Amino acid sequence: MAEVREEAVLSPLTFWAQRKDRILLRVNLHSLKSKHVDIQPKSLNLDVVGTGQNGEKRYKFDLKLFDELDVNNCHQKVRESYLDFSLLKRNAEWWPRLLAGSGQVPPFIRVDFDRWVDPDDDEQEETEEHDEPSDIKSMMNKFASEARQKQKGDERQQLGELATFVLFIYNLVQLVMCCVLVGCLTLGAATASDGVFFSKVYSNFVGLVTVSTMMTSLEILFAALKFTPGGVLNPLFQVGGRSLALAVLIYADEVAHSRLCVFQLFYVWGLADVIRFCYLMFSVIGHQFSGLTWLRYTMWLPLYPLGFGLELVNIMGTVGFYSEKALVDRMPYPYLIYSYIPISVMGFLKLYMHMFKVRRKKLLQPSSPSNSFARPSPLPKKLL
C-alpha cells in the first residue's frame, strides 16, 4: 500500500438523506487501498485511503450524530464509485439535522437530493405521518430548502469563477496579438522609405490577423453561454463580416494582396481591437477606468465605419479576379459578392445603432466609481 503523508488527509464529499427509521449516506470515494469504519451509537468514524475529489489521498471524518443508532442493524457497502451506508435509527423519528449541536455544517457534508424525502412524502411511513410533530416537519423542509439553495449558490460561484478566468485569458491573448500587429505596422510605416513595406503587409501579417479573427468566433460561444450580454446576433454579424472580408482577401490574387488598402484595413482592425480588448480585460476582473471607458466607447465612432468601408473596398477590389475565376469554376462569385453588400450594410447599421445605445448608457448615465464596479452575483458582470 502506498504511503500517504499526514498533511494530505482530507474529508471526503458526503451526501446524506433520511427516512423515518434510518440515515442514508453516500461517501464519494472509490479505488480503496485501505478502509476503517467504526460505527458507534452516536458517532461514525471513517478512515480511508482511496480516490476522491482531490485524487488519491487519505480521507477521514468523525461525525457526531444528532441521535443514537441501532449499531447492530447498520450496513455499509462498497460500490463502484462510492461507499453506501444505511444506518438504522434507535428511535424511528425524523432528525432535524444530521449532526449533534447547532453549529455550522461542515462544507463536505451535503444533502443528497436524489434520495431526499420530506416527511410528508415518505410513502413507507405513510401510516405514521400524522404522528409527526408539525415543528419537526417545518424544520426539515426549511433545512432542505436552505441546503438546496446553498448548493446551487456554490455551483453558480464555481461557474462564475470559470467564466471570469476564460474571459480574462481570451481578452489578454487577443490584446497581445493586436498590440503586436499595431506596433509592427506602425513601426514599418514610419521607417518605410518606399512602397515595398506596404505591398508586403499581407504576406507578413495575414497569419496573425487570421488567428485573431478565428479566435473572435469564441465571442459567439460566450454570448450563447450567457458570459456576455445581448445574445448571439451582434457578435455573429461582427465576426461574420470580418471573417468574410478576410476570406475573400485570402483567396484573391497577389494584386489584391499588394494594395495599400490592405495595410489600412489591418491597421484599423488592430487599433480598434487594442482598445476593445484592453477595456474588456480589465472589466472582467472588476475594474473600470473612466479614461479607458471613454476611449472604448468614443474611438469606435470613426474606427467602426472606417473599418467597414475598408472591408467593402477590399472586397470590391477582388471582383475582377473572381469574375475570371467564375469562368473557370462555373460559379457566380461576383453575384455572391454583390448580394453580400446589402446584407453587410444592414448588419453594420444594426451594430452601429446598438453601440450608440451602449455609449449613451456608459457615458451619459451615472455609474459606480471608476476603479471598480459591484457584481451582485458570482457570475462575471456581463460586458459589452
Side-chain angles (χ1 to χ4, degrees):
M1 179 181 71
E3 284 190 24
V4 179
R5 296 180 298 174
E6 187 66 28
E7 59 266 26
V9 176
L10 302 165
S11 295
L13 282 177
T14 303
F15 297 83
W16 82 285
Q18 69 169 318
R19 303 295 182 267
K20 186 174 182 179
D21 62 338
R22 64 191 182 278
I23 294 295
L24 305 174
L25 291 181
R26 173 167 58 87
V27 183
N28 280 12
L29 290 172
H30 62 90
S31 304
L32 305 184
K33 305 295 184 183
S34 68
K35 177 171 72 78
H36 172 74
V37 178
D38 182 22
I39 303 176
Q40 297 295 326
K42 292 210 66 173
S43 67
L44 173 61
N45 181 271
L46 176 73
D47 193 344
V48 173
V49 175
T51 303
Q53 71 272 20
N54 293 96
E56 184 175 320
K57 303 279 186 181
R58 182 183 179 190
Y59 296 88
K60 61 187 297 186
F61 60 59
D62 187 8
L63 303 181
K64 306 301 181 183
L65 302 175
F66 176 79
D67 205 348
E68 293 189 2
L69 301 175
D70 184 352
V71 178
N72 296 327
N73 290 292
C74 293
H75 306 284
Q76 56 176 297
K77 186 171 183 179
V78 178
R79 301 193 182 275
E80 183 178 357
S81 59
Y82 62 92
L83 294 175
D84 195 10
F85 290 88
S86 178
L87 310 175
L88 193 68
K89 301 175 182 176
R90 184 175 295 277
N91 301 312
E93 297 178 351
W94 293 95
W95 293 7
R97 55 186 175 276
L98 175 64
L99 304 180
S102 56
Q104 186 175 5
V105 179
F108 68 91
I109 300 291
R110 302 184 182 182
V111 174
D112 190 345
F113 293 109
D114 292 335
R115 298 195 291 180
W116 186 268
V117 176
D118 291 332
D120 292 336
D121 298 331
D122 191 355
E123 295 179 358
Q124 296 179 3
E125 299 296 335
E126 186 175 355
T127 59
E128 300 178 14
E129 282 183 1
H130 62 279
D131 296 329
E132 293 298 321
S134 59
D135 57 339
I136 296 295
K137 295 180 184 179
S138 176
M139 290 172 60
M140 289 300 301
N141 291 333
K142 181 179 179 181
F143 173 79
S145 176
E146 291 177 351
R148 189 179 290 109
Q149 291 177 359
K150 182 179 183 301
Q151 189 166 341
K152 289 182 179 179
D154 292 342
E155 293 173 353
R156 180 175 174 82
Q157 183 175 2
Q158 292 174 359
L159 177 61
E161 292 171 355
L162 174 63
T164 299
F165 175 77
V166 170
L167 288 173
F168 179 80
I169 295 298
Y170 167 77
N171 289 308
L172 175 61
V173 172
Q174 286 280 40
L175 176 62
V176 170
M177 289 194 296
C178 293
C179 285
V180 171
L181 176 64
V182 172
C184 291
L185 291 177
T186 302
L187 182 62
T191 57
S193 58
D194 51 31
V196 176
F197 169 78
F198 298 102
S199 64
K200 297 294 184 180
V201 164
Y202 174 86
S203 58
N204 292 336
F205 299 102
V206 68
L208 182 61
V209 174
T210 301
V211 172
S212 177
T213 302
M214 291 175 63
M215 283 188 63
T216 56
S217 62
L218 290 173
E219 296 181 17
I220 301 173
L221 177 62
F222 295 153
L225 294 175
K226 305 299 183 184
F227 287 1
T228 54
V232 300
L233 193 57
N234 287 331
L236 187 62
F237 270 121
Q238 187 170 1
V239 175
R242 180 176 295 192
S243 300
L244 181 61
L246 184 60
V248 169
L249 188 62
I250 288 175
Y251 290 104
D253 57 358
E254 293 184 2
V255 175
H257 296 166
S258 61
R259 291 190 177 98
L260 178 62
C261 57
V262 174
F263 164 82
Q264 296 168 338
L265 178 63
F266 284 3
Y267 196 87
V268 170
W269 278 356
L271 185 59
D273 283 345
V274 165
I275 300 170
R276 183 167 76 99
F277 289 123
C278 183
Y279 169 83
L280 294 178
M281 184 185 70
F282 284 111
S283 295
V284 80
I285 58 175
H287 294 281
Q288 284 187 335
F289 305 96
S290 56
L292 185 59
T293 301
W294 181 89
L295 196 64
R296 160 75 174 102
Y297 291 102
T298 301
M299 287 302 296
W300 68 267
L301 289 170
L303 290 179
Y304 188 50
L306 182 59
F308 177 71
L310 288 170
E311 289 177 12
L312 292 183
V313 169
N314 277 275
I315 290 174
M316 294 303 297
T318 64
V319 171
F321 167 78
Y322 283 107
S323 296
E324 296 179 2
K325 185 176 176 61
L327 297 176
V328 178
D329 295 347
R330 298 184 181 277
M331 291 291 290
Y333 296 117
Y335 298 103
L336 293 177
I337 293 175
Y338 292 141
S339 63
Y340 162 76
I341 294 176
I343 298 175
S344 64
V345 170
M346 289 188 294
F348 164 77
L349 293 176
K350 183 182 184 306
L351 286 174
Y352 209 68
M353 294 304 298
H354 170 73
M355 289 300 294
F356 261 117
K357 293 178 182 178
V358 176
R359 185 177 189 274
R360 187 182 304 112
K361 179 180 178 181
K362 290 287 185 178
L363 300 183
L364 301 183
Q365 292 183 1
S367 60
S368 55
S370 60
N371 64 332
S372 66
F373 57 83
R375 286 186 280 182
S377 74
L379 278 174
K381 190 174 181 69
K382 293 180 175 180
L383 306 175
L384 288 170

